[in-house]
Amino acid sequence: MTETKPEIKSNRKKYLKRTIAVAALLAIVLSAVSFMQYYLCIPMTTDVTRIIQFGKEPENSIDVLVLGSSQSYSGFSSAYAYGKFGYTSYPLVIAGSSCTAWKPAVKKALWTQKPKLIAIDTFGGGYDADTVRSRKYPLYMLSNYTPLSAERMETAYEMSVRSDESDALSYAFPFIRYHTKVPSNLLSIQERMAIDSYGPSPLKGVETITDAEEFKPLDEECFSSDKIELDQNTEEIITDFIDFCSDEGIPVLFVKYPSVMLYPKDFNANKRMNSVLELAESKGCATLDLEKAFYDIGLDETTDYYNRSHPNVRGQKKITEYLGKYIQDEMGIGPSELDASLSEDWDKAAAYYEILCDIAEEMIANGEVRTLADSPRLLEMITERAND
Amino acid sequence: MALTSLPFAAFAIITGIVYFAVPKKQYQWVVLLIASSFFYVYNSFQYTVFILVTIITIYLAATKMADISKYTKAEVKNHKAEWSKEEKKAFKDASQKKRRRVLAACLILNFGILFLLKYFNFFSGSIASLLGGSPDEAPQIHLLLPLGVSFYTFIATGYLIDVYRETVEPERNIFKFALFVSFFPQIIQGPISSYNKLHSQLIGEHKLEWINFKQGVMNIFWGLFKKLVIADCAWRGIKAYYANGGLNGTADFEGYGGTMVLFISLLYALQLYTDFSGGIDISRGICRIMGIELEVNFRQPYFSKSISEYWRRWHITLGAWMKNYVFYPIAMSDLSKRISAAIAGSSFGKTAAGKHLSKVFTTAMASFIVFLCVGIWHGANSKYIGFGVWNGLIIMLSAMLGPVYDKSRNALHINSEAAWWKLFQMLRTFVIVLIGYIFDIADNFTNAIQMMKLIISDQNKSVFMEQIKTLGLYKTEYATIMLGAMILLYISIRLEITSLDTPGELLERRSGFIQWLALLGLIMLVLVLGTYGPLYDPAEFVYMQF
């Protein structure tokens, strides 16, 4: 039976309506998933804030990209370094990152910045082979806050090759991994959206804990030059990272941050980090062992650390001064060329950092142990003091 | 390639597109055959030979039996005038014997393969134990089970028996028959489709229909909801129970208490139903989109008011297979008739009880044997035999003690139509089912009995609150299971009231907006609360192992 003209017309209308309905359903689902992936999948942490705030920094305004794990954001203050040496920097750092996160972090940074130097913390290469492979959380965070693109897919594939190939799709779409966190993260959505509501933060990714633990003088082994051979996967990851930076024309400075080593696992990590430094040197990179310079820096193990691996604001200032000067003198990074508005922002950042240090000192004195990191609340507190 | 995996989704979508894109619709079945062959070889490459043996032998046996039958009829017709009635009967009987021999040989071969692969090690070990030896020293076959071996063996042998009974015409095209046996949506975990309901649909021509597409998609997501949101989340808790040693205890605690065992049993009841029926919903949804209607395998089984009703609502196609090919042959056999007659002829048979027993004894016995087979079908372990015996005993006793039960109810003036009574019947049946499940959960028969004792004698809330932490589920996961169970309960009640089979059919009565909204909600629930991705090790479908 052939269809009549009105029937054909009505059928076409029906098909069109259905096609629109299916497309609308897909669009709603995809939009909802994208929203949840960006706002609700990864729990609200100081790392998340740091990554989001990095994305807000004006294009090509960061001269030194600080990478690595928690040692680098607790040991180096970008705002303080700017105040002292005049160059801009930012710690694009996620706590506990292994070296698998280095290259993805640089790739992410290169989306908006053209750094003149990368200062990388060797700690991520000091993990054992299994940890290097299994530290996936930082990779997901980097992936989650990178715009969807062919390059992100490529990076996701690289991430998966170095950890677990079956995870490739979930690196490209972290929703696959973190979807069940959505309900529990609903409570933090207000805070998450609040962070999106203002521009680049004057706190510049800083983080510290207001405590001062008293340690004994450093063991001789802390200064050892002994090495533990890197496993093949770790060595390949680091070599790949160096080659990538070299191809991009960015010099890399490998920094071993100073810590108070106490346990065999600390000493073993130190030995692996010595191997990282050796590998970096063999590939023509600059290296700096701040562990050996512990006392030259002026660090005091009885007052400058909130735990054995991380300095408090006192230690942070001392390390920043030492490392910052090294970057200026040895790596040739001079004051950044900024327009008036940016210059004003960074001056404000340097001033705010001093207020943050005052707050931290007060809290240490009062025995009030808290994490101070980029957040709307801390920013409000500092702004109030600054206005006073 | 699990039914809930992305590769399977891609495979099903590609198959669907090619299926509808084929220019000549009469070749659509070829697409399904290629897809099913690819699916089988991809998932069970090293065991493909077993399904091939089943396809070839059953195809040959069925055609042989049909040929004998055809020849017999033709000969009888040709010699209509020459042969006497006795000669015709003798000729027919001889032919029937030949057909029976072909049937028996083929069934022995195919069930023999199933026995060897699935049960040999168990029986060999059990015989060794009986003879005082160690099961480990008994001869063993070291093979994994071919994908869907129990399902395709039952599907194919059911067809063979139907051909023998001449209720269906045999399929002369071996490739079309191969499609019937290996059809990919049902090979993993059923349903056990009957030839006359499925085959013509498989080889028929189908256009993409909007209603089928809509209903199919709804069914797929409803299945995914059951499987990923409820079953796999619950499975994480059950898995932890097993990992912690179940009843055997671990270094952390002495062993689980009765409340915990009861909780695990309830969780298992929920998990088993949602896992199995969820998988079937996905399969049915895929088929529905292609215009193929797979048989319903579940009808709200936990609303059953008796255990026999439960088995008419749970794994319906297995029940139907057992009824057609095991129950009836036993209940209608000469032996059964002789036993009934013997009871009726005895002095006991003259009493009221004797009269009742003479009527129901053989069916009760047949039921018991059926459920013993159902138990064995589930696996080679004493716990499955215990499961079968338990169900068989209950059904057998229900049939035999029916009048006593009716009299007691009347004596107590219970209105069998009262809502509270129906609810009580449902709860009573659920408890009986749960006891059966305990056989499933336990490692073996002894362990199952121990679990039941604990449930009765060791109820302790504070111990339970401590032990539940060992399951390692987060509060949000318990909330997910609760929410999932509530939605499931609501939909099940609606389906029960309306006598419909799927939530999609329920929604057909609602406005288009509500339908789209429901589908959107279902998709979002699956996406957000579903157990998938690298954080999870998704559970394989429980019935896949059978």
Side-chain angles (χ1 to χ4, degrees):
Chain A
M1 211 168 73
T2 51
E3 286 173 304
T4 59
K5 264 189 180 176
E7 273 175 350
I8 294 171
K9 208 173 168 188
S10 136
N11 278 345
R12 271 188 194 159
K13 215 171 162 188
K14 211 157 59 182
Y15 293 144
L16 187 69
K17 263 173 87 177
R18 285 169 183 170
T19 310
I20 290 170
V22 171
L25 181 79
L26 286 175
I28 293 170
V29 169
L30 286 177
S31 311
V33 167
S34 304
F35 176 84
M36 287 189 282
Q37 178 166 280
Y38 190 73
Y39 284 105
L40 292 167
C41 272
I42 311 279
M44 200 53 225
T45 63
T46 53
D47 289 323
V48 170
T49 312
R50 199 162 23 249
I51 292 172
I52 294 167
Q53 298 295 22
F54 176 79
K56 292 182 195 169
E57 290 297 327
E59 277 193 23
N60 305 328
S61 66
I62 303 295
D63 284 346
V64 178
L65 182 64
V66 178
L67 291 183
S69 29
S70 54
Q71 279 73 6
S72 39
Y73 64 64
S74 61
F76 186 84
S77 161
S78 294
Y80 189 56
Y82 177 79
K84 284 275 171 191
F85 309 105
Y87 56 77
T88 57
S89 61
Y90 196 99
L92 182 58
V93 171
I94 301 142
S97 290
S98 77
C99 52
T100 43
W102 293 355
K103 189 175 159 189
V106 177
K107 278 194 159 189
K108 179 181 171 53
L110 292 182
W111 271 81
T112 50
Q113 304 295 337
K114 275 186 194 159
K116 293 173 183 163
L117 175 74
I118 292 171
I120 189 119
D121 159 26
T122 53
F123 199 82
Y127 291 117
D128 60 61
D130 286 343
T131 310
V132 165
R133 198 172 271 279
S134 62
R135 281 287 160 97
K136 297 175 183 178
Y137 175 71
L139 299 176
Y140 282 106
M141 299 231 289
L142 283 169
S143 169
N144 209 30
Y145 300 103
T146 306
L148 190 61
S149 62
E151 202 155 318
R152 169 167 158 181
M153 295 297 181
E154 187 198 318
T155 309
Y157 177 71
E158 277 180 29
M159 290 175 184
S160 68
V161 169
R162 293 298 175 193
S163 52
D164 188 344
E165 279 189 46
S166 63
D167 292 348
L169 207 58
S170 65
Y171 285 121
F173 305 100
F175 185 82
I176 294 173
R177 185 181 175 93
Y178 287 109
H179 58 278
T180 48
K181 306 283 177 206
V182 167
S184 46
N185 289 342
L186 273 171
L187 294 174
S188 61
I189 192 162
Q190 211 179 350
E191 194 181 345
R192 172 69 187 79
M193 287 178 133
I195 286 166
D196 265 3
S197 66
Y198 57 88
S201 168
L203 297 175
K204 306 295 173 198
V206 75
E207 184 169 339
T208 188
I209 288 180
T210 54
D211 198 8
E213 223 178 300
E214 207 175 320
F215 292 103
K216 287 178 187 163
L218 264 61
D219 192 291
E220 267 299 301
E221 217 178 331
C222 295
F223 309 109
S224 165
S225 296
D226 291 351
K227 296 176 190 79
I228 290 178
E229 206 179 327
L230 298 174
D231 64 281
Q232 198 190 337
N233 186 48
T234 305
E235 196 173 322
E236 279 175 15
I237 291 169
I238 296 172
T239 306
D240 185 37
F241 164 74
I242 294 170
D243 291 345
F244 176 75
C245 295
S246 167
D247 292 346
E248 293 292 330
I250 313 167
V252 185
L253 168 65
F254 280 79
V255 184
K256 187 164 84 180
Y257 280 83
S259 65
V260 184
M261 297 175 209
L262 296 177
Y263 307 113
K265 68 172 182 179
D266 299 339
F267 299 126
N268 286 340
N270 187 40
K271 287 170 191 167
R272 275 191 288 268
M273 284 193 274
N274 286 339
S275 293
V276 174
L277 291 179
E278 186 183 45
L279 174 66
E281 275 168 17
S282 74
K283 301 285 283 177
C285 295
T287 61
L288 179 61
D289 189 341
L290 292 180
E291 188 69 50
K292 283 185 177 151
F294 192 94
Y295 292 115
D296 293 341
I297 293 168
L299 288 166
D300 182 345
E301 68 275 359
T302 60
T303 56
D304 295 350
Y305 277 78
Y306 65 75
N307 63 30
R308 71 186 202 282
S309 305
H310 303 96
N312 54 25
V313 281
R314 296 166 190 159
Q316 190 176 56
K317 274 186 158 180
K318 290 174 187 174
I319 297 167
T320 305
E321 278 173 33
Y322 191 93
L323 175 58
K325 190 166 176 358
Y326 186 90
I327 289 173
Q328 178 189 260
D329 297 347
E330 303 299 324
M331 305 306 294
I333 305 293
S336 300
E337 289 168 17
L338 305 171
D339 61 30
S341 153
L342 263 181
S343 184
E344 197 180 310
D345 285 350
W346 276 93
D347 287 341
K348 185 177 164 187
Y352 272 32
Y353 178 71
E354 291 299 341
I355 299 172
L356 181 136
C357 287
D358 292 344
I359 294 171
E361 285 293 356
E362 285 166 23
M363 286 179 168
I364 293 171
N366 295 335
E368 197 181 335
V369 181
R370 276 177 59 182
T371 298
L372 295 184
D374 204 339
S375 70
R377 217 172 303 149
L378 180 64
L379 193 59
E380 201 180 323
M381 198 193 286
I382 294 174
T383 310
E384 266 176 32
R385 284 204 186 194
N387 292 340
D388 289 344
Chain B
M1 205 195 291
L3 216 53
T4 51
S5 66
L6 280 176
F8 181 80
F11 164 77
I13 290 169
I14 292 168
T15 304
I17 291 170
V18 178
Y19 183 75
F20 287 115
V22 170
K24 290 189 176 175
K25 300 284 178 222
Q26 68 262 39
Y27 296 124
Q28 279 181 316
W29 70 270
V30 179
V31 177
L32 293 184
L33 178 64
I34 294 169
S36 299
S37 306
F38 169 80
F39 183 76
Y40 202 89
V41 172
Y42 180 86
N43 286 295
S44 196
F45 172 70
Q46 65 273 50
Y47 300 114
T48 310
V49 66
F50 293 109
I51 194 170
L52 283 177
V53 168
T54 298
I55 290 168
I56 294 167
T57 56
I58 290 190
Y59 168 79
L60 291 174
T63 46
K64 181 73 184 164
M65 286 193 303
D67 289 345
I68 295 170
S69 189
K70 202 174 163 189
Y71 171 76
T72 308
K73 280 173 192 160
E75 282 297 289
V76 170
K77 201 177 170 187
N78 290 342
H79 299 89
K80 202 177 176 183
E82 304 153 38
W83 288 357
S84 67
K85 211 173 177 182
E86 286 72 29
E87 281 173 322
K88 280 180 201 164
K89 191 176 179 303
F91 184 72
K92 278 183 187 172
D93 286 350
S95 297
Q96 187 65 2
K97 258 187 191 167
K98 273 188 208 165
R99 294 176 76 242
R100 202 175 295 151
R101 274 201 295 270
V102 174
L103 172 75
C106 195
L107 289 181
I108 288 168
L109 174 71
N110 281 283
F111 283 115
I113 292 173
L114 184 63
F115 174 82
L116 274 179
L117 293 171
K118 203 167 169 180
Y119 306 105
F120 180 81
N121 293 350
F122 169 68
F123 283 108
S124 157
S126 303
I127 290 166
S129 298
L130 282 175
L131 296 174
S134 158
D136 300 334
E137 289 163 11
Q140 302 273 302
I141 294 174
H142 299 286
L143 281 175
L144 289 172
L145 279 181
L147 180 69
V149 62
S150 302
F151 290 102
Y152 74 69
T153 304
F154 274 46
I155 287 170
T157 51
Y159 156 79
L160 186 69
I161 298 168
D162 284 347
V163 172
Y164 171 76
R165 290 175 177 170
E166 297 184 329
T167 54
V168 298
E169 281 294 314
E171 173 56 66
R172 297 280 173 179
N173 183 329
I174 191 168
F175 296 109
K176 286 182 180 174
F177 177 66
L179 171 61
F180 167 67
V181 177
S182 64
F183 184 43
F184 76 88
Q186 67 168 8
I187 195 88
I188 297 176
Q189 52 165 6
I192 301 170
S193 300
S194 63
Y195 180 80
N196 56 6
K197 284 187 183 154
L198 181 64
H199 185 64
S200 57
Q201 295 191 73
L202 288 180
I203 57 171
E205 297 172 18
H206 301 280
K207 274 202 293 189
L208 180 60
E209 302 272 350
W210 173 249
I211 182 77
N212 286 341
F213 178 76
K214 202 169 65 171
Q215 291 288 330
V217 168
M218 194 71 195
N219 237 21
I220 291 170
F221 277 98
W222 178 239
L224 287 171
F225 170 76
K226 282 181 183 173
K227 168 71 179 157
L228 297 179
V229 177
I230 307 175
D232 284 359
C233 196
W235 177 245
R236 279 165 40 76
I238 297 164
K239 201 165 71 172
Y241 168 82
Y242 282 124
N244 290 340
L247 281 175
N248 302 325
T250 66
D252 299 322
F253 47 91
E254 281 278 323
Y256 284 119
T259 317
M260 190 65 188
V261 174
L262 178 63
F263 177 74
I264 287 292
S265 307
L266 291 169
L267 203 60
Y268 182 79
L270 179 68
Q271 194 270 341
L272 187 66
Y273 171 60
T274 46
D275 180 280
F276 191 12
S277 66
I280 295 282
D281 287 337
I282 297 168
S283 299
R284 292 188 78 225
I286 293 167
C287 292
R288 180 76 194 257
I289 292 173
M290 293 191 284
I292 296 163
E293 194 75 52
L294 277 189
E295 286 177 63
V296 174
N297 216 26
F298 293 91
R299 274 203 183 93
Q300 295 78 252
Y302 296 150
F303 289 164
S304 305
K305 293 187 281 296
S306 70
I307 198 74
S308 48
E309 185 189 349
Y310 167 79
W311 280 104
R312 287 195 300 275
R313 288 167 172 259
W314 175 278
H315 206 346
I316 296 167
T317 53
L318 176 67
W321 194 98
M322 288 289 175
K323 191 170 80 177
N324 284 333
Y325 308 118
V326 181
F327 178 83
Y328 285 138
I330 295 172
M332 304 296 188
S333 68
D334 289 342
L335 180 67
S336 294
K337 284 174 191 161
R338 281 205 296 273
I339 293 171
S340 289
I343 296 171
S346 68
S347 55
F348 172 66
K350 308 287 183 251
T351 63
K355 277 179 190 162
H356 171 70
L357 206 62
S358 69
K359 279 184 204 159
V360 301
F361 183 75
T362 52
T363 52
M365 275 311 292
S367 298
F368 181 78
I369 293 167
V370 161
F371 282 98
L372 191 60
C373 293
V374 167
I376 294 170
W377 181 88
H378 279 81
N381 191 313
S382 60
K383 65 179 184 176
Y384 291 122
I385 295 175
F387 169 79
V389 167
W390 168 252
N391 281 281
L393 265 180
I394 295 289
I395 289 183
M396 192 171 80
L397 289 174
S398 314
M400 285 162 62
L401 300 175
V404 179
Y405 171 71
D406 289 340
K407 269 186 189 170
S408 313
R409 201 186 59 224
N410 291 337
L412 292 167
H413 302 290
I414 292 168
N415 175 7
S416 61
E417 290 305 309
W420 73 266
W421 176 246
K422 286 181 180 170
L423 197 65
F424 166 76
Q425 284 179 306
M426 282 182 203
L427 282 173
R428 179 196 61 189
T429 307
F430 183 71
V431 169
I432 294 168
V433 169
L434 205 60
I435 293 171
Y437 286 167
I438 290 173
F439 286 107
D440 242 1
I441 303 166
D443 292 334
N444 50 44
F445 185 79
T446 321
N447 194 208
I449 300 297
Q450 205 184 343
M451 285 173 74
M452 287 177 217
K453 277 184 190 166
L454 269 176
I455 289 176
I456 295 164
S457 63
D458 184 29
Q459 291 297 327
N460 188 322
K461 192 183 158 194
S462 53
V463 171
F464 169 70
M465 294 311 286
E466 276 307 304
Q467 292 189 340
I468 198 169
K469 292 174 191 162
T470 64
L471 297 186
L473 292 177
Y474 297 111
K475 279 180 188 165
T476 47
E477 287 174 307
Y478 285 113
T480 299
I481 296 171
M482 282 293 290
L483 174 73
M486 298 290 278
I487 294 172
L488 180 69
L489 180 67
Y490 173 74
I491 298 291
S492 300
I493 291 171
R494 297 291 310 150
L495 290 174
E496 187 70 10
I497 291 168
T498 53
S499 300
L500 294 171
D501 287 326
T502 65
E505 287 168 6
L506 269 182
L507 282 167
E508 270 307 302
R509 299 167 176 202
R510 306 280 178 170
S511 69
F513 177 74
I514 297 286
Q515 289 179 32
W516 284 105
L517 203 65
L519 181 61
L520 177 67
L522 200 54
I523 293 172
M524 293 316 297
L525 280 173
V526 171
L527 286 177
V528 175
L529 301 178
T531 303
Y532 63 91
L535 274 183
Y536 298 106
D537 176 19
E540 281 200 340
F541 283 97
V542 176
Y543 265 71
M544 220 172 140
Q545 64 182 301
F546 303 136

